[in-house]
Amino acid sequence: MIYLDYNASTPVDARVASLVQEASHAYANPSSTQHRAGQQAAELVEHARQRLATAVHRTPREIVFTAGASEAAAIGIIGAMLGDSRRPNVVIGATEHKAIIQAAEAGARLGGGEVRIASVDHSGLLDLSRLNELVDDSVSVVAVMAANNETGVMGPVEQASVIAHSRGALFFSDITQLLGKGDTTDVSTHADLMVCSSHKLYGPKGAGALIASRHTQKALFPILGGGGQEFGLRGGTSNAPALTGFGLAAELATQCLPETMNRLTVLRDQLWHGLQELGSVEINGGDAPRVCNTLNVRIAGADAEAVMASMPDVAVSSGSACQSAVPTPSHVLLAMGRSTTEAGESLRLSIGTPTTESDIRASIAKLSAAALRVRELTGDLERFLDDA
Ligand code: PLP
């Protein structure tokens, strides 16, 4: 199996897996700090908080641990929308992840507001003048992702944050696909709220974080307050082993970031170079700055689902993983002006640190063979229908 679906999820790093295994012995509730067993579990969580804080250039008090980025987005976006009744509206980019779109829709429904969508251009870059028109003093939060999960296109976070702040709105940025693959210093400087996820950076599943200053945390309505854990924003017993793994994974991912970025950029470009031999191929988002590991290609005349079906030993995605179960065209590619057919001919290839040059060579061969087969069959079918 050649795995080129690292944007959907990543394997757990061996060092992280052994730490999670070790931490799973600390079974006490980290909130039970009256006894030593509880204190030990709490220490593990606090150490992980410190590690993640360093990785995202923040302080530990700014890390609110959650079960993943989707949960963190709901706490942050709905919390911000319900936190200020004079500002019931939200503005989001058209290519945001469904977790952000649905949180915005839920917040609007609960608070009686509306979701305003800022369009993107053909390369997936946010239209800043449209954003400027949409943000007014009825908007509590503006969400613009740092890196898109389908195309890898990186958002203009600094300019978007200036627009949000000029109208008194909070600026939210999803760094799930940037952390471990690009520098988060800039977004961390400009965003009031950020979300990220452990399983995208070689950590265990079921761990994520909302990142916000103490001041911003106080502005959020606590939709999941529960027993008061995580500074009153995410009630529920902390998953100490998973969070421990998340902390280490974030530390490792950011420690070797320059090497990772250089290596993956070279491999991704080799992949693109090899696929160009097919002819009539193009990169979705090719004109925009992109994260180092993502290549979203449209192969004209080759339906992506058919290509995937004819190379079952190559793991790629025809949209975002969350959408794959639903056969609807990618909202990201449609927002970029792709037709339904063009979106249906697009494949997301996302590489990761375990990817080798030989994986790239083999995937070029397999993908090209599969695409040519599909093009041929499509041609045969069209000729047959013409003759009939
Ligand atoms: N945001 C982006 C950009 C993602 O790629 C994903 C995962 O697909 C999420 C949010 C949701 O992450 P999680 O699986 O941790 O809920």
Side-chain angles (χ1 to χ4, degrees):
M1 163 69 70
I2 303 171
Y3 188 78
L4 299 185
D5 205 13
Y6 288 87
N7 282 11
S9 202
T10 59
V12 179
D13 183 290
R15 293 161 291 182
V16 172
S18 77
L19 185 66
V20 171
Q21 170 96 36
E22 212 179 289
S24 63
H25 299 299
Y27 55 82
N29 191 321
S31 298
S32 302
T33 47
Q34 305 88 333
H35 52 70
R36 186 72 200 116
Q39 288 161 13
Q40 275 166 354
E43 277 161 20
L44 291 177
V45 174
E46 292 321 306
H47 189 207
R49 202 185 303 282
Q50 172 71 62
R51 281 178 150 156
L52 179 62
T54 307
V56 296
H57 319 286
R58 294 293 187 101
T59 62
R61 179 61 183 80
E62 296 178 278
I63 306 294
V64 176
F65 278 132
T66 66
S70 301
E71 186 185 85
I75 296 170
I77 293 177
I78 304 173
M81 292 175 74
L82 301 185
D84 186 347
S85 58
R86 291 158 309 159
R87 292 174 173 266
N89 301 325
V90 60
V91 179
I92 63 173
T95 57
E96 291 296 307
H97 189 274
K98 291 278 179 188
I100 277 67
I101 299 175
Q102 296 206 337
E105 285 169 351
R109 180 93 183 263
L110 289 166
E114 65 178 10
V115 182
R116 300 177 186 169
I117 311 271
S119 49
V120 296
D121 67 13
H122 76 281
S123 61
L125 279 175
L126 193 75
D127 180 343
L128 287 166
S129 56
R130 185 72 190 123
L131 186 77
N132 198 33
E133 286 164 9
L134 293 175
V135 186
D136 58 27
D137 60 11
S138 71
V139 170
S140 52
V141 57
V142 174
V144 175
M145 69 201 312
N148 186 272
N149 46 301
E150 292 192 40
T151 59
V153 169
M154 298 198 278
V157 289
E158 181 177 350
Q159 297 96 314
S161 76
V162 170
I163 293 173
H165 291 151
S166 71
R167 313 279 150 65
L170 293 171
F171 181 66
F172 173 105
S173 192
D174 179 354
I175 62 166
T176 307
Q177 295 290 348
L178 184 66
L179 188 57
K181 295 186 284 201
D183 189 0
T184 55
T185 317
D186 206 32
V187 58
S188 187
T189 306
H190 299 289
D192 303 293
L193 296 148
M194 296 186 286
V195 292
C196 59
S197 180
S198 160
H199 75 100
K200 307 288 186 182
L201 55 130
Y202 312 96
K205 292 170 178 59
L210 170 69
I211 301 155
S213 71
R214 197 180 187 139
H215 176 73
T216 302
Q217 288 177 25
K218 292 220 174 312
L220 305 180
F221 179 84
I223 61 161
L224 271 183
Q229 291 93 340
E230 296 301 318
F231 314 115
L233 286 173
R234 199 280 183 177
T237 305
S238 303
N239 184 348
L243 296 176
T244 301
F246 182 22
L248 178 59
E251 182 175 291
L252 294 171
T254 44
Q255 264 171 3
C256 50
L257 186 60
E259 300 92 278
T260 304
M261 286 172 69
N262 288 338
R263 210 179 136 260
L264 296 189
T265 305
V266 169
L267 291 176
R268 182 197 63 184
D269 293 347
Q270 280 173 3
L271 183 57
W272 169 232
H273 189 72
L275 291 177
Q276 276 175 288
E277 299 284 306
L278 273 168
S280 302
V281 286
E282 54 190 325
I283 304 182
N284 290 315
D287 296 334
R290 287 174 299 136
V291 276
C292 57
N293 80 318
T294 309
L295 181 65
N296 193 308
V297 278
R298 176 189 166 224
I299 307 175
D303 177 74
E305 296 291 334
V307 172
M308 285 168 66
S310 67
M311 45 165 216
D313 56 345
V314 184
V316 299
S317 165
S318 62
S320 75
C322 313
Q323 287 174 329
S324 295
V326 188
T328 48
S330 147
H331 73 283
V332 173
L333 299 179
L334 294 185
M336 291 164 67
R338 290 287 184 207
S339 67
T340 304
T341 307
E342 289 166 343
E345 293 172 340
S346 298
L347 283 169
R348 178 185 72 184
L349 315 172
S350 51
I351 59 175
T353 48
T355 307
T356 61
E357 274 199 35
S358 102
D359 289 335
I360 297 293
R361 278 195 300 274
S363 38
I364 292 168
K366 283 172 190 270
L367 240 162
S368 303
L372 288 174
R373 207 156 41 238
V374 172
R375 274 181 177 166
E376 232 172 78
L377 288 171
T378 311
D380 288 351
L381 183 66
E382 278 166 4
R383 274 189 294 279
F384 171 79
L385 291 174
D386 281 349
D387 293 347

